Amino acid sequence: MPTGRSTTLPASPEISTYKGQDRALRADRLGTAGLLLSVLAASAPLMVVAGVMPTTFGVMGVVGQPLLFVALGLVLALFSVGYAEMSRHVHNAGAFYAYIARGLGPTAGAAASLVALVAYSAMQVGVYGILGFEISGLFATYLKIELAWWIPALVAVAATGALGWLKIDLNAKVLGVLLLIECALVVVFDVAALTEPGPEGLSLHAFNPETLGGAGLGTALGFCIAAFVGFEQSPVYAEETSKPHIVVSRVMFLAVGFVALFFAFSAWALTVATGPAEVVSTSAEAGPGLLFQLTETRLGGTFTDVLHVLFVTGMFAAMLSFHNVVSRYAFAMGREGLLPSAFGRTNPGTGAPGTGSLLQTGVATLVVIAFAVTDDMPAGDPTAPVLHLFTWMGSVGALGVTLLMAAASFAVIAFFVRRGTAGAQIWRLVAAGAAGLALLGIAVYTVKDFGVLVGAEEGSALSWVLPGIIGAAVVTGLLYGAVLRSRRPEVHARIGLGNEAFRLDQAAEATPGD
């Protein structure tokens, strides 16, 4: 059956040097439950409920946030239709860029690989800021110790790097335990809010479409879509699952459905607890402390203290999830020659992509140190440098992932058209096209309102410099792909093929006369 890419590949020194197991991630490490918990950890439920939701209510004034999560869930379910079908045909740790390369060509795949590396790195590094700030606050509150935010942040960098070096099934267990406890506590709050509602009772006003109006809607779309990031990571682990053609797509739909319903319900619970008429003003005043204020009055100080601790562990789980994804993208890129060949090896003992893990640990260390050096805590707002690290990097990462999802949607269409099977997949391709257009629209809104998204003043250079990071990654990746096509065609031809290129090399060696 035609694949849309030639199966006659030029010889590659990079590929020929990897004949052993260190070129491949260990198979059969993850089942449905392990993979689901790994990808859901990236969504950091407690961080979203305590951080994203009050910001969307208070800063952007969107009362209909519960309905917004439902609408985004539908868009991403449409996206998953084509993306899941693609996952049955392409198993590659470089999921996004592999799919884009197979559909839109290797040069586009090279650009996507760099965008993915930058976007997921930014999202992971950004979490260190708010984690360090929260731990510093816990030390001050409970131990009366003044601790600079960057100290626990660097400790978290080291711990994440160590776990990233270990087996993925061990990582999944760590992520799973933290995630389940975190979700359970959020559900306890949700139930408490509904049993002890605010002045307007069990109001469903937040699900009224009229509540989605206002100038902040575009910004809220870009901000809330970051809460879903994680579900699209399941194909990254395809090589490590027991039955990738079944498990990956199953996990994708389960993750999208869970996130949409869980966050819609929790956002509604917040409006019920405060009252829809007061949720914007209350959130604007309390900020990230809104959830903890509400639990204090309904569930007591002990529960709130535990929630603070789980807030930290939930962020740690998200960091570990993003770290695993970045290291696997780096591994896939090293295996195919987009990065130095050392990144394409795995640890002999654990099967983890160790060099990619070290790369992400090094990047995170440098960024945290850079923000620590420019920290103006003694002279200005003590939260500014820390929250900037979180909001700036998180927003950059969310923009990058949104663009990757849009490009992947169009790549799915091109892939099946080039295979000559578009007719058999027509409803999936229509879903992919609709999702691609919607995601592209969200990305445009995000760039347009990026200054609001990161809290920049009107006219600030941050409004174009920060989204420009993703733009620069796209341009650099396209230029890199063009250079590879001209000077190293053997590497260019393998972009997105992963282990398939290795198998084709072996077949060619076995039949040298063909």
Side-chain angles (χ1 to χ4, degrees):
M1 182 179 293
T3 63
R5 292 277 293 275
S6 171
T7 55
T8 303
L9 301 176
S12 171
E14 286 84 359
I15 297 295
S16 64
T17 57
Y18 294 117
K19 299 294 175 93
Q21 288 299 317
D22 64 344
R23 283 195 70 253
L25 295 164
R26 297 287 177 84
D28 299 328
R29 292 283 193 181
L30 293 171
T32 299
L35 180 57
L36 180 62
L37 293 172
S38 293
V39 300
L40 283 177
S43 65
L46 188 52
M47 186 169 67
V48 171
V49 176
V52 172
M53 291 182 186
T55 302
T56 304
F57 284 131
V59 177
M60 300 160 203
V62 179
V63 177
Q65 189 175 178
L67 186 57
L68 193 62
F69 278 113
V70 174
L72 286 173
L74 292 175
V75 170
L76 296 178
L78 282 177
F79 163 77
S80 297
V81 169
Y83 196 59
E85 184 62 23
M86 192 74 163
S87 73
R88 299 178 189 274
H89 299 267
V90 180
H91 302 156
N92 192 317
F96 267 136
Y97 90 77
Y99 294 179
I100 292 169
R102 299 292 285 271
L104 303 180
T107 300
S113 71
L114 191 56
V115 172
L117 211 58
V118 171
Y120 284 117
S121 293
M123 295 197 81
Q124 195 241 12
V125 170
V127 180
Y128 286 115
I130 193 168
L131 176 134
F133 177 68
E134 179 68 14
I135 293 179
S136 177
L138 291 177
F139 268 76
T141 301
Y142 297 105
L143 301 178
K144 309 303 180 186
I145 297 176
E146 295 297 325
L147 186 68
W149 69 269
W150 52 266
I151 295 176
L154 288 177
V155 172
V157 170
T160 304
L163 283 171
W165 190 267
L166 301 176
K167 298 177 182 179
I168 186 60
D169 46 354
L170 175 60
N171 273 253
K173 292 174 183 176
V174 173
L175 293 174
V177 171
L178 296 178
L179 178 71
L180 292 174
I181 298 174
E182 191 179 349
C183 289
L185 292 185
V186 173
V187 169
V188 170
F189 161 73
D190 293 343
V191 172
L194 299 182
T195 55
E196 192 178 340
E200 297 175 59
L202 292 175
S203 172
L204 294 174
H205 179 68
F207 289 102
N208 186 332
E210 294 179 359
T211 60
L212 291 179
L217 178 59
T219 309
L221 281 169
F223 202 65
C224 289
I225 202 169
F228 283 87
V229 171
F231 83 95
E232 82 295 342
Q233 298 173 8
S234 53
V236 173
Y237 301 97
E239 297 179 42
E240 299 168 86
T241 58
S242 52
K243 297 177 181 177
H245 59 291
I246 297 174
V247 171
V248 170
S249 58
R250 178 190 297 164
V251 165
M252 224 180 305
F253 286 108
L254 287 172
V256 170
F258 174 82
V259 170
L261 294 176
F262 185 85
F263 287 154
F265 186 75
S266 296
W268 176 55
L270 286 174
T271 68
V272 168
T274 61
E278 301 295 329
V279 69
V280 171
S281 58
T282 304
S283 298
E285 181 180 347
L290 174 65
L291 176 65
F292 302 107
Q293 289 181 11
L294 295 173
T295 58
E296 182 82 29
T297 58
R298 286 168 172 79
L299 297 164
T302 300
F303 182 90
T304 303
D305 292 342
V306 173
L307 205 62
H308 273 290
V309 174
L310 266 296
F311 188 38
V312 172
T313 60
M315 287 186 285
F316 183 79
M319 290 186 302
L320 181 56
S321 181
F322 284 125
H323 181 93
N324 289 337
V325 169
V326 173
S327 61
R328 278 155 181 77
Y329 267 99
F331 166 79
M333 293 169 70
R335 180 170 59 184
E336 296 175 9
L338 285 165
L339 286 178
S341 59
F343 288 98
R345 296 188 180 95
T346 58
N347 297 337
T350 66
T355 311
S357 179
L358 289 175
L359 171 67
Q360 179 59 12
T361 302
V363 169
T365 301
L366 291 176
V367 173
V368 170
I369 290 175
F371 271 81
V373 169
T374 58
D375 191 340
D376 61 351
M377 287 181 71
D381 180 1
T383 68
V386 184
L387 297 184
H388 285 169
L389 176 57
F390 174 63
T391 56
W392 292 0
M393 294 297 99
S395 299
V396 167
L399 173 61
V401 173
T402 304
L403 287 172
L404 286 170
M405 286 193 288
S409 296
F410 300 128
V412 167
I413 298 173
F415 177 79
F416 288 108
V417 168
R418 292 169 68 175
R419 287 171 64 96
T421 59
Q425 303 282 0
I426 187 64
W427 74 275
R428 292 187 176 92
L429 302 192
V430 170
L437 292 174
L439 289 163
L440 201 57
I442 292 172
V444 170
Y445 266 116
T446 301
V447 173
K448 175 179 172 291
D449 295 336
F450 211 87
V452 178
L453 198 62
V454 298
E457 296 178 0
E458 187 175 353
S460 170
L462 290 174
S463 300
W464 57 269
V465 169
L466 291 174
I469 294 173
I470 297 299
V474 172
V475 173
T476 303
L478 289 173
L479 291 175
Y480 183 39
V483 169
L484 289 176
R485 182 175 184 175
S486 173
R487 299 185 180 181
R488 302 181 68 192
E490 74 284 351
V491 173
H492 186 269
R494 286 171 165 77
I495 296 175
L497 293 182
N499 271 339
E500 185 176 331
F502 179 54
R503 290 192 294 270
L504 290 172
D505 278 346
Q506 287 183 314
E509 290 176 3
T511 56
D514 291 347

